[in-house]
């Protein structure tokens, strides 16, 4: 049997990793509200010795405002525990510009503070001395700011985007993110920015450096930013299903976007994890097995008698709520024709399997 990319952790992740690099939107909160159970889970992780760092591609607010927001939600946070894509962009520019250089800001105050911290000078019009343009997400971004950015960019100065996320999560569903706003300047100038946010390694290196992590684990809700970025810098990662990426997305994901662990939410930091094992047309994890059927279909079924369950060394106390999904991932990832199917169908052999699939959004 061959192990899949998902990993086994016989101990809770909070005892195996020293710092959780937590994405915010879709992981800790959605819009103004905390993800259900997040404050309690993160408080417990701290009690178990894990340090927390809050890492976001959203450059709209400075660390002080983000820390205050988290604290109001019942999640204790200090400004120096918050790392934003503004930090990564400012660091990138400071390494390439002279001290005191003027940088045109297309965004809000979060960018200003990060530039000043790195010895650069934020400006807001495309004056002749502008040495670079930096653009970050802002819900208040207007035409005038975009116009100033277009003028400077067309002169040929460096253009840095804090991230290229097309959307941001909200209680009303996905809304336009920085990538969508960057697209307007791409169209206006015919040029492309450098992006320093996730998944670019600049962002995760900044987070590791500022948090002084020795054994970090990235916790995120987006396969194409959080998880890919973690893989690019060699960090372990935990995908949570409270934000953008879904269980169905996970089944069809390419190798560079695969997490080490998966959980419904950040409480996954508090438990041990099994890894599925694959044997030909079957994969097994805990009390579940996944099977290939005709026409590329996957079927979830009970693993059999308790004594016949796969032994992956994770111990008897392993949380098994997502073992069915882990088994399905193990099988899909090892059979590319299944994984890349545009019409991947997952079925349950019996009523418990069907309920599990429905809870994961995998029915039909």
């Amino acid at each position: 049997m061959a192990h899949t990319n998902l990993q086994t952790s016989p101990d809770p992740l909070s005892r195996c990793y020293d710092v959780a690099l937590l994405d915010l939107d879709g992981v800790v909160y959605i819009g103004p509200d905390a993800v259900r159970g997040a404050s309690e889970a993160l408080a417990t992780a701290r009690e178990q010795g894990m340090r927390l760092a809050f890492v976001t591609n959203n450059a709209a607010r400075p660390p002080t405002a983000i820390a205050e927001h988290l604290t109001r939600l019942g999640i204790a946070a200090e400004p120096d525990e918050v790392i934003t894509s503004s930090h990564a962009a400012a660091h990138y520019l400071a390494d390439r510009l002279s001290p005191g250089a003027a940088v045109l800001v297309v965004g809000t105050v979060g960018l200003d503070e990060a530039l000043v911290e790195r010895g650069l000078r934020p400006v807001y019009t495309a004056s002749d001395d502008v040495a670079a343009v930096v653009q970050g997400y802002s819900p208040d971004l207007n035409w005038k700011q975009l116009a100033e950015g277009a003028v400077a960019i067309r002169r040929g100065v460096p253009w840095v985007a804090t991230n290229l996320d097309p959307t941001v999560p909200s209680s009303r569903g996905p809304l336009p993110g920085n990538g969508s706003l960057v697209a307007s300047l791409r169209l206006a100038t015919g040029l492309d920015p450098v992006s320093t946010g996730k998944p670019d390694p600049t962002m995760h290196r900044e987070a590791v450096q500022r948090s002084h992590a020795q054994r970090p684990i990235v916790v995120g809700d987006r396969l194409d930013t959080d998880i890919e970025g973690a893989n690019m810098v060699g960090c372990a990662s935990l995908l949570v299903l409270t934000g953008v990426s879904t269980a169905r997305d996970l089944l069809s994901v390419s190798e560079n976007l695969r997490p080490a662990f998966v959980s419904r939410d950040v409480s996954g930091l508090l438990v041990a994890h099994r890894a599925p094992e694959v044997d030909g047309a079957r994969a097994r994890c805990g009390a579940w097995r996944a099977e290939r059927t005709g026409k590329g279909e996957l079927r979830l079924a009970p693993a059999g008698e308790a004594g016949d369950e796969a032994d992956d060394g994770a111990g008897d106390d392993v949380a098994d709520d997502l073992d069915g999904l882990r088994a399905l991932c193990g099988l899909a990832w090892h059979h590319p024709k299944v994984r890349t199917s545009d019409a991947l169908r997952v079925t349950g052999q019996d009523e418990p399997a069907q309920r599990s699939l429905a809870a994961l959004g995998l029915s039909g």
Side-chain angles (χ1 to χ4, degrees):
M1 289 188 175
H3 279 284
T4 71
N5 297 72
L6 288 172
Q7 297 178 18
T8 293
S9 177
D11 297 313
L13 301 180
S14 57
R15 299 191 184 280
C16 299
Y17 299 94
D18 65 335
V19 180
L21 303 178
L22 295 147
D23 182 54
L24 290 176
D25 292 307
V27 175
V28 178
Y29 54 61
I30 297 177
D33 303 315
V35 170
R36 184 176 180 179
S39 61
E40 295 84 357
L42 295 177
T44 302
R46 284 192 192 269
E47 291 170 2
Q48 294 178 352
M50 174 173 261
R51 291 186 291 117
L52 307 180
F54 303 95
V55 185
T56 177
N57 262 0
N58 190 328
R61 296 182 295 170
T64 300
I66 293 173
E68 290 173 352
H69 180 197
L70 289 168
T71 300
R72 286 196 300 272
L73 296 178
I75 302 165
E78 297 295 332
D80 62 2
E81 294 176 317
V82 177
I83 301 103
T84 76
S85 55
S86 294
H87 289 130
H91 195 164
Y92 176 91
L93 287 169
D95 285 345
R96 290 159 176 79
L97 302 177
S98 301
V103 178
L104 175 62
V105 174
V106 182
T108 55
V109 68
L111 285 165
D112 299 1
E113 290 190 5
L115 292 170
V116 170
E117 180 190 48
R118 291 290 178 180
L120 300 172
R121 179 165 53 94
V123 298
Y124 312 99
T125 59
S127 55
D128 292 341
D129 65 341
V130 166
V133 174
V134 63
Q135 181 174 359
Y137 171 76
S138 168
D140 301 316
L141 191 68
N142 58 40
W143 180 90
K144 182 178 179 181
Q145 289 176 291
L146 291 171
E148 294 298 315
V151 170
I153 291 165
R154 282 200 302 270
R155 289 182 190 152
V157 302
W159 174 24
V160 174
T162 59
N163 70 87
L164 297 176
D165 297 1
T167 62
V168 293
S170 83
S171 58
R172 301 167 63 192
L175 300 177
N178 198 51
S180 298
L181 301 172
V182 166
S184 65
L185 284 182
R186 275 178 161 158
L187 186 61
T189 65
L191 299 170
D192 293 315
V194 170
S195 175
T196 56
K198 297 177 283 187
D200 189 88
T202 304
M203 183 64 181
H204 279 125
R205 288 174 186 150
E206 186 81 7
V208 170
Q209 177 184 334
R210 285 178 176 266
S211 65
H212 307 289
Q214 299 297 314
R215 301 181 312 283
I217 183 169
V218 171
V219 183
D221 70 307
R222 294 186 71 120
L223 293 163
D224 60 345
T225 57
D226 305 309
I227 306 306
E228 183 178 14
N231 289 338
M232 290 177 73
V233 295
C235 283
S237 60
L238 169 68
L239 176 74
V240 297
L241 301 176
T242 49
V244 172
S245 294
T246 66
R248 188 169 294 277
D249 295 331
L250 187 61
L251 291 182
S252 59
V253 76
S254 57
E255 187 170 359
N256 62 312
L257 305 180
R258 295 174 187 169
F261 308 101
V262 60
S263 178
R264 293 187 188 279
D265 51 44
V266 292
S267 65
L269 290 171
L270 308 178
V271 298
H273 290 251
R274 293 186 193 272
E277 293 187 335
V278 181
D279 185 7
R282 289 187 175 187
R284 306 181 67 169
C285 189
W288 297 102
R289 73 174 185 268
E291 305 169 325
R292 291 180 66 192
T293 64
K295 300 180 180 179
E297 181 180 281
L298 301 182
R299 181 172 61 193
L300 185 66
E305 298 299 325
D308 192 38
E309 292 180 11
D311 179 10
D312 55 19
D316 296 333
D317 61 341
V318 175
D320 59 4
D321 58 335
L322 288 186
D323 280 349
L325 176 58
R326 296 179 180 111
L328 290 165
C329 286
L331 193 56
W333 293 357
H334 277 71
H335 294 281
K337 289 183 179 180
V338 173
R339 177 170 53 81
T340 58
S341 171
D342 292 333
L344 177 62
R345 186 165 181 260
V346 184
T347 61
Q349 176 175 292
D350 56 13
E351 186 176 344
Q354 292 166 7
R355 286 200 304 267
S356 179
L357 293 176
L360 291 166
L362 289 172
S363 297

